[in-house]
Amino acid sequence: MIDLLQPDSSYYVASETTSGKQQPVVKRAFDISVSLLVTLFILSWLIPIIGLLIRLESRGPILFVQLRSGRNGRPFPCLKFRTMKYQKNASFKQATQNDRRITRIGRILRRTNLDELPQVLNVIAGHMSIVGPRPHPIPLDVQYLPLIPEYRQRFKAKPGITGLAQAKGLRGETSELNQMRHRIRYDIWYTKYSSLSLDVKICWWTVEKMIKGDKNAW
């Protein structure tokens, strides 16, 4: 179990174990290659199946589109499979454990991270990367920017479908300030020492979480 108040030892991997900050061209090539493969061989048949299951359980759109902060703090429309009951013009509220808004299929999608898969389309569009700091809803940015001085540094990189913090289990509700602080420390470390090999490792850790399930995924 990860103690949210104490950093994971793997956070302090020495910088010499990385190959230095990866070149933008290499990262973009990795992003496009992975995104196109996922779109062609997975999303092409998974979207109709998951979409049908979502619509059978609750009315409303298949995809949930939410403005989130991207690189340099620029907002972009972040795509997800809808996991909650549809409520037009609903105000923002973080998902909590046993949240009644979440549908049955939504709980499965969240636990396995499959709800994030449509974001490969955000990657192709250039809004996101496969790996990077997870984009937060704008109300969370507004809440934590004044409270965590280093928070703004996470905007130096494109947000990712998955990230180092999430791969290490730091996801879900941030009801305590230290939970967000700990997550931000992972994000900032990644922006400093990102590499292709690290991206591949984070992708692998994410797949493991998808298979095993994540207890913090509500």
Side-chain angles (χ1 to χ4, degrees):
M1 179 178 178
I2 293 177
D3 184 350
L4 293 175
L5 302 181
Q6 295 295 327
D8 189 315
S9 60
S10 62
Y11 173 86
Y12 293 102
V13 178
S15 60
E16 49 265 27
T17 62
T18 71
S19 58
K21 193 170 181 63
Q22 63 182 313
Q23 295 299 314
V25 173
V26 174
K27 187 169 180 63
R28 184 59 178 162
F30 175 76
D31 288 343
I32 290 295
S33 299
V34 173
S35 297
L36 289 177
L37 287 172
V38 171
T39 301
L40 290 172
F41 296 106
I42 299 179
L43 275 188
S44 58
W45 57 266
L46 192 62
I47 283 182
I49 294 174
I50 291 181
L52 178 61
L53 293 173
I54 290 172
R55 289 302 298 272
L56 285 174
E57 186 171 2
S58 63
R59 67 177 183 86
I62 294 168
L63 295 180
F64 174 64
V65 183
Q66 183 182 57
L67 278 182
R68 297 199 175 195
S69 298
R71 190 174 185 180
N72 298 323
R74 291 181 179 177
F76 71 96
C78 186
L79 306 177
K80 297 180 68 173
F81 282 122
R82 181 169 60 83
T83 60
M84 293 185 176
K85 297 171 185 176
Y86 178 65
Q87 187 177 359
K88 190 175 181 179
N89 300 324
S91 57
F92 170 76
K93 180 184 177 183
Q94 269 194 300
T96 59
Q97 195 168 18
N98 301 318
D99 197 318
R100 292 185 177 181
R101 296 174 298 165
I102 301 175
T103 61
R104 287 173 294 179
I105 184 62
R107 292 196 183 280
I108 296 172
L109 294 175
R110 284 171 169 269
R111 194 176 301 119
T112 58
N113 294 324
L114 286 174
D115 61 321
E116 314 285 0
L117 267 183
Q119 287 163 28
V120 296
L121 302 178
N122 285 119
V123 175
I124 294 172
H127 302 140
M128 299 177 67
S129 289
I130 296 296
V131 180
R134 281 292 300 153
H136 294 156
I138 290 176
L140 279 189
D141 290 331
V142 173
Q143 177 182 349
Y144 287 108
L145 265 170
L147 301 177
I148 304 175
E150 63 273 24
Y151 189 97
R152 195 176 301 274
Q153 294 182 43
R154 70 194 308 274
F155 297 138
K156 291 182 179 180
K158 279 185 183 180
I161 296 177
T162 186
L164 181 59
Q166 284 65 34
K168 290 298 182 180
L170 298 177
R171 58 169 296 177
E173 185 184 12
T174 51
S175 56
E176 298 179 10
L177 182 58
N178 274 331
Q179 291 174 312
M180 182 59 82
R181 279 182 176 148
H182 192 28
R183 184 184 297 183
I184 296 305
R185 294 173 77 181
Y186 275 97
D187 289 342
I188 294 172
W189 189 92
Y190 174 82
T191 64
K192 291 180 178 179
Y193 302 116
S194 63
S195 67
L196 181 59
S197 61
L198 179 59
D199 281 4
V200 172
K201 288 179 182 177
I202 292 172
C203 287
W204 174 250
W205 294 333
T206 301
V207 171
E208 285 186 325
K209 289 283 185 183
M210 290 177 69
I211 296 172
K212 296 177 181 178
D214 190 334
K215 67 179 186 303
N216 293 323
W218 299 335

